[in-house]
Amino acid sequence: MNAPTTLKELMPATDPGLQQGRELAHESAHLHVTGAAVYTDDIPELRGTLYAALVLSPVAHGELIGEGIDRAALLAQHGVVAVFTAKDIPGENNCGPIIHDDPFLAAGKVEFLGQAIAVVVARNMLYAREAAKKAQVQVKELPAILSIDDAMAQKSFIMPPKGITRGTPAEAIALAPHKLKGRTECGQQEQFYLEGQITYAVPREDGQLTLYCSTQHPDGNQREAAAALNLSTKDVEVICRRMGGAFGGKEGNASIFSQSAALAAFKLQKPVKLRVNRDDDMMITGKRHDFRIDYEAGYDDQGRILGIDVVLASRCGYSTDFSGPVNDRAVLHIDNCYYLPNLSIVSHRCKTNMQSATAFRGFGGPQGMFGIETVIEQIANTLGKDPLEVRRANLYQDPAVSGNPATMTTQYNQLIEDFIADKVMDQLETESAYLARRQSVNSYNKESKYKKRGLALVPLKFGISFTATMLNQGGALLNIYQDGSVSVNHGGTEMGQGLNTKMAQVAADGLGIPVSFMRVTGTDTQKVPNASATAASSGADINGAAINNACDQMRARLAEVAARKLSCEPSAIEFVAGYARILGHNGQNTSQIAWKDLVKQAWLDRVGLSVTGFYMTPDIKYDFQTLQGKAFYYFCYGAAVTEVEIDTRTGEWWLKAVDIVHDVGRSINPAIDLGQIEGAYVQGMGWLTMEECVWDKKGKLLTHGPSTYKIPVASDIPEHFKVSMFDGENFRPTPFKSKATGEPPLMLALSTYFAIRDAVAASAGHKTVVHMDAPATPERILMACEKAKRG
Amino acid sequence: MSEVTNTVRFVLDGRIVEAQGERRTTTVLDYLREQLHRTGTKEGCAEGDCGACVVLVGELNAAGTGVNYLPVNSCLQLLPTLDGKSIKTVESLKNPDGTLHPVQQAMVGCHGSQCGFCTPGIVMSLTGLVQTVTSPSRCQINDALSGNLCRCTGYKPIVDATLKACEVPAASLKLDDHADLPLLKEIRRATAPTYDLEGGIVVQPVVRTRKGSEFVSPATLGELSAYLLEHPQATLLAGSTEIGLQVNKQFTRPEHIVYLGHVAELKRVDSKGAVWRIGAAVSLTTVEQLVTQDYPDFAEVLRRFGSPPIRSTATLAGNIANGSPIGDTMPCLMALGTTVHLRRGDKTRAVALDKFYTGQKKTVLQPGEFIEAVELPKPKAGQHFRAHKISKRFDQDISATCCAMAYELVGGKLKNVKLAYNGLAPSPCRAPQLEAVMEGKAPTEVRAADLDAAIAASFTARDGLRATWAYRSLVARNLVMQFVEESVEPQTEAA
């Protein structure tokens, strides 16, 4: 196909009046670069502010003796004002987002090393932290379950297993011309938001409480604080102007901290700030679930998977947290872009004495896709084919072409209505010159003794919607002031993804005015109530649609005002480029009224200039018990080609080139979407290569800071890093027909890992199947090369 | 004689800040945020690894005509080290008319910020870079950013923004410090010691508590050695990359802290003769420049040792004295036959670096004794030097192992082989049994199996946080094999 090659060419033809489709800078960019952007810790503190720190469990599993601390000893520490434990909580001791099995202060027992036992409040941060760090925890240590293997052996599960069976997998595998079997693992990942977890809790008059919290889910913090303090929800306000990154790590986990801060502030009736340092943050909060994946598959000469049996086991930590939906999503993404006619998949959710694994960009999807892509690679290795050929052979297919009505239906029985993975791959294959690159990699490998190159093209398909159907709703508040300026609020939170920028663009077009009129304000539970977490890539879709709904209502009101002034029917009024005007007319003063004048007139006419908007995602119907049904409103697609080089003497590797084609629908802001794609790729690359959580035998996380836990840095990024956006639009009526971009591009990084695998295979002349778990650290790469050498 | 003072004086944007009553361990970051309410500078890790806290610290140049800036991690630097210096934070960059510095402008234009939390540190690192390099290469930009983590963007727009920023005339990249200059002269620290009536040296504290704990900043070697005789347990502070960590993470508060950054004799490099005599307070950045030509592999190890904010403050002597088993400079220095010069009072002695360690983090240093200088031999004719560090990430990561080897090729045979590692033993060390395997052999005669046997005989197998023994020992052998093979056909497969 004659694919466009640059971002500019791919930008949708933009109406000069429209704000959507423009590459506007992030609404806070000028504040970011000058240091003027206010994060929670930057808010000027109120007089009398106290500081909190948490006493943490030194063991992975144990019975607390009494409260677990020596209260008097702690209170005697310099500067310490108060100490609180579980028994000081008047209401519910919980920070679990779904199932309330997650005490924010340990009561009776501790279940992971790093679990909070007490809140120490002191006159300054240093005193609080020092006292907390030096506290002697009184605990009787119990045996701990730490690994997936241990948990499986001891049948230690956080919830019962779930699975899907489609067709007759056992028979299909038995009858298949070729069979394979194997096991692989992919590792944990720390979110590593640059701004650590923080809540500043301020008591208000008459028993009310305000929490300034770095959180993806203010509504959750609000409800949980109310439950903990026996308040009603109306009396707790949660405010989040922006976060310094979150990536899922502040979806449920922000509550661990907001709850303790709320408790201390409420008890003391003084403002209390709880900002954990990086080490404690990493010790306390959950990571991406690591997965052990056992697979058995039968396939034909083309590499088509005829039957497959997959057993997933993930390390969920000590409480359920989001482990249910995370593991469900892994099950729902085991297909990636491939039709699996006969499939059995079982998902075990292991309970271990570790931080409760939590949300992280992709939410189980990447792990599921890692599984199926490993199977595909192993098939290709065994058949001696280019893995791309095997990928293509397994793609979902239009039933009209395949002659089989099932070939566009997922294992969870959803008909895919928007499949474009094949087209995305076509475009990428051309743009990246895949075949020529494959040849040049082969010839390089023939010449080079120690350094080997690898290449991989991996596609992705990612389902968009919360699988908990009720969460697919959004709210907005639109206030217009007499000077025509507009304040927009919505239930979403700004964590760097540019949501507020996009929402300003959506609202501006919704009212037909320039974006300069807009102020998207910080998230506040008193403005938009009951908002879902900004998660599941849903931010722009559900909040944008709610804003559109608000704008629709407001336009209807203002059209009547304009119609009276212009002597026409309200239905004849359109809102364009800062004017309300009669449809079809253009430019004459008698046929239009400027936005500011219209707003002023509306106020004079006593027309309400404030409106709320609401949206619920239609047309999804899914049973999370059976994992069957229309789970997703639509799918996002993408594909990446990555080329790497490895040194077979040291296992070091270099990222040589990345080419990406990604589907964002019709982009509301291509610059922001490009940033999401590039950033997600690099984050995913970190997960699969250098980011490694290391634990000791007692369940202590040893990599609890950036000195030991390495995320990618500038020099890890290749000069050739080319991203194209697929030229298309959402078949669903999302804002501007755009698609979600938060999570999907993370999975583009699967191509990094499989390119490394390809290079390892090349080190043994592509004559053997590679065994290498993720992350592919230099050590794993070298050891995989050594193993491949031995055959 | 200057007065006893409890005031740290530094210049900030055209005014003198007098910080009074601060702890000797208060960090620059905490002071900026909590006392000056300059909240643009962020804490991301408090260990010098994320760069959200980067600021520029200025010192008068030798001629007194301008200010030299160094990027530093304000989370690690202790406030009293700022005495007599100037500082620029992200808030300093905006022009009085409200326009942005070209780096800031380009960061906006290239969409270089997303969540924005790392952005101030990145802006400062880049502003620091363009003070001296006005049209940086991609490599130089990457290096300038090697200590700045961004979790959102994937860095591409930040690198693009730097290139874009440098399209403007070089003069507009310069920081405006005309108002700082006279003030820096005004608060300049004394360069000569103070004496009491009997002629004894009095070391004036920068910060002193009622209990007598203090932070001192001597100007001369005489003051320093006198002070250490009196306070042999005092903590020596140079780059603060280790002490700052202990302050932040272990709540350490040493009673006596002696800052070396003003000691004139320790800041010198003497390049006369066959050695470089490198003063104990000379930064790794300076050392890197010193050895770039002669020992490029060492320069690369130094580059990867840490980010510019780390390298601009950390020192060879600090790395050596700290004695971490995974210290990166020591294998290189040992293979090159480095000597450390120690001083206690008036007594000095020289110790070969490979005899300096007596165990894990244990050295031959006596109480009150300190490293005065590090003496690094210049290359001899026919000598070759190779070094390479293995880590999970190339930039600013801790070694699994770092291997360094010096040798000569005489008549096609390896001679005078000196090989040293870190990461394999309780301290960095030479590997004489491996050296013996190679000594006198032609490169092609060196057998992997012999090296393996020597490694097994030399070291105790132990799995570690950063690597298993299986990996470490394999890489330790492979690096030697690589150096040996490439000694015949040098650099056949350079990356």
Side-chain angles (χ1 to χ4, degrees), chain B residues 99-418:
Chain B
T99 55
L100 302 177
H101 184 274
V103 166
Q104 294 175 311
Q105 192 59 54
M107 281 287 284
V108 173
C110 294
H111 309 278
S113 70
Q114 286 183 24
C115 86
F117 199 82
C118 70
T119 311
I122 283 178
V123 164
M124 293 314 287
S125 284
L126 294 175
T127 303
L129 170 72
V130 302
Q131 295 312 296
T132 49
V133 186
T134 51
S135 56
S137 67
R138 187 169 282 268
C139 269
Q140 286 171 310
I141 296 167
N142 285 342
D143 182 54
L145 292 173
S146 61
N148 289 94
L149 300 179
C150 168
R151 193 54 150 170
C152 297
T153 64
Y155 303 100
K156 188 169 182 277
I158 298 171
V159 175
D160 291 345
T162 318
L163 295 168
K164 179 91 190 152
C166 293
E167 288 172 6
V168 303
S172 54
L173 296 171
K174 288 276 174 217
L175 286 167
D176 176 11
D177 44 30
H178 74 278
D180 296 349
L181 207 56
L183 301 179
L184 267 170
K185 288 178 183 165
E186 188 182 328
I187 64 165
R188 197 177 349 203
R189 291 186 55 81
T191 54
T194 308
Y195 297 96
D196 62 21
L197 293 173
E198 285 80 43
I201 288 176
V202 179
V203 180
Q204 302 288 2
V206 181
V207 170
R208 186 184 169 88
T209 66
R210 270 174 304 172
K211 286 182 195 155
S213 299
E214 59 188 9
F215 184 107
V216 300
S217 185
T220 63
L221 193 57
E223 288 172 89
L224 173 63
S225 41
Y227 191 84
L228 286 175
L229 276 183
E230 200 178 330
H231 304 285
Q233 303 307 322
T235 296
L236 293 175
L237 179 76
S240 202
T241 54
E242 178 70 21
I243 308 296
L245 215 58
Q246 291 170 9
V247 165
N248 289 338
K249 308 266 157 155
Q250 271 97 47
F251 307 102
T252 308
R253 278 191 286 272
E255 281 180 21
H256 297 88
I257 303 175
V258 189
Y259 180 51
L260 306 180
H262 286 295
V263 182
E265 294 92 330
L266 300 189
K267 292 173 80 180
R268 282 186 206 133
V269 176
D270 184 350
S271 299
K272 288 192 286 284
V275 298
W276 289 290
R277 190 184 157 97
I278 300 164
V282 171
S283 74
L284 294 183
T285 308
T286 306
V287 179
E288 189 186 331
Q289 288 157 2
L290 213 58
V291 301
T292 295
Q293 214 63 44
D294 292 308
Y295 301 127
D297 278 11
F298 185 20
E300 177 65 2
V301 168
L302 285 168
R303 194 196 67 74
R304 289 178 55 200
F305 180 100
S307 60
I310 297 293
R311 277 135 59 196
S312 71
T313 52
T315 62
L316 279 186
N319 199 220
I320 292 169
N322 188 43
S324 162
I326 36 83
D328 278 335
T329 67
M330 288 84 99
C332 299
L333 295 171
M334 284 179 182
L336 289 168
T338 299
T339 307
V340 284
H341 288 257
L342 312 181
R343 173 181 287 273
R344 182 172 183 278
D346 296 334
K347 294 195 185 67
T348 61
R349 59 174 174 148
V351 177
L353 181 59
D354 51 20
K355 302 276 186 290
F356 184 71
Y357 298 107
T358 55
Q360 180 151 9
K361 289 212 158 198
K362 292 205 178 79
T363 72
V364 300
L365 279 172
Q366 301 296 315
E369 193 174 39
F370 62 96
I371 300 175
E372 183 182 341
V374 176
E375 208 169 82
L376 172 65
K378 294 180 184 172
K380 295 188 268 290
Q383 186 196 28
H384 300 270
F385 176 74
R386 296 299 308 276
H388 189 65
K389 159 179 169 167
I390 301 291
S391 51
K392 279 182 202 162
R393 193 178 73 189
F394 284 103
D395 282 344
Q396 174 131 330
D397 194 1
I398 301 169
S399 293
T401 186
C402 176
C403 172
M405 184 169 137
Y407 62 91
E408 290 158 40
L409 269 180
V410 182
K413 308 280 185 191
L414 294 160
K415 292 276 181 189
N416 293 326
V417 179
K418 283 187 176 177

Side-chain angles (χ1 to χ4, degrees), chain A residues 6 13 17 51 239 243 247 255 373 399 402 457 488 527 539 596 605 611 616 635 709 735 765:
Chain A
T6 70
Y51 302 85
I239 297 174
M243 283 167 274
F247 315 108
S255 295
E373 293 298 341
S402 67
L457 187 159
V488 190
K527 290 188 173 172
K596 283 185 176 187
D605 290 356
V611 65
M616 53 85 80
F635 295 93
Y709 184 81

Side-chain angles (χ1 to χ4, degrees), chain A residues 39 42 279 448 711-712 779, chain B residues 33 42 115 249 393 468 493:
Chain A
Y39 300 80
D42 304 335
D279 303 76
S448 172
I711 70 169
E779 171 160 353
Chain B
R33 290 186 59 85
K42 309 296 184 195
C115 86
K249 308 266 157 155
R393 193 178 73 189
T468 61
E493 273 192 305

Side-chain angles (χ1 to χ4, degrees), chain A residues 246-260:
Chain A
F247 315 108
K250 294 172 183 170
E251 185 177 353
N253 277 184
S255 295
I256 303 172
F257 309 96
S258 66
Q259 290 289 71
S260 284

Side-chain angles (χ1 to χ4, degrees), chain A residues 710-745:
Chain A
K710 307 315 274 190
I711 70 169
V713 72
S715 64
D716 297 316
I717 313 311
E719 187 165 352
H720 182 103
F721 190 166
K722 204 161 141 294
V723 178
S724 295
M725 290 186 200
F726 185 74
D727 195 6
E729 58 180 39
N730 201 338
F731 83 114
R732 298 289 196 180
T734 51
F736 207 56
K737 299 208 162 188
S738 64
K739 286 190 178 182
T741 46
E743 294 165 286

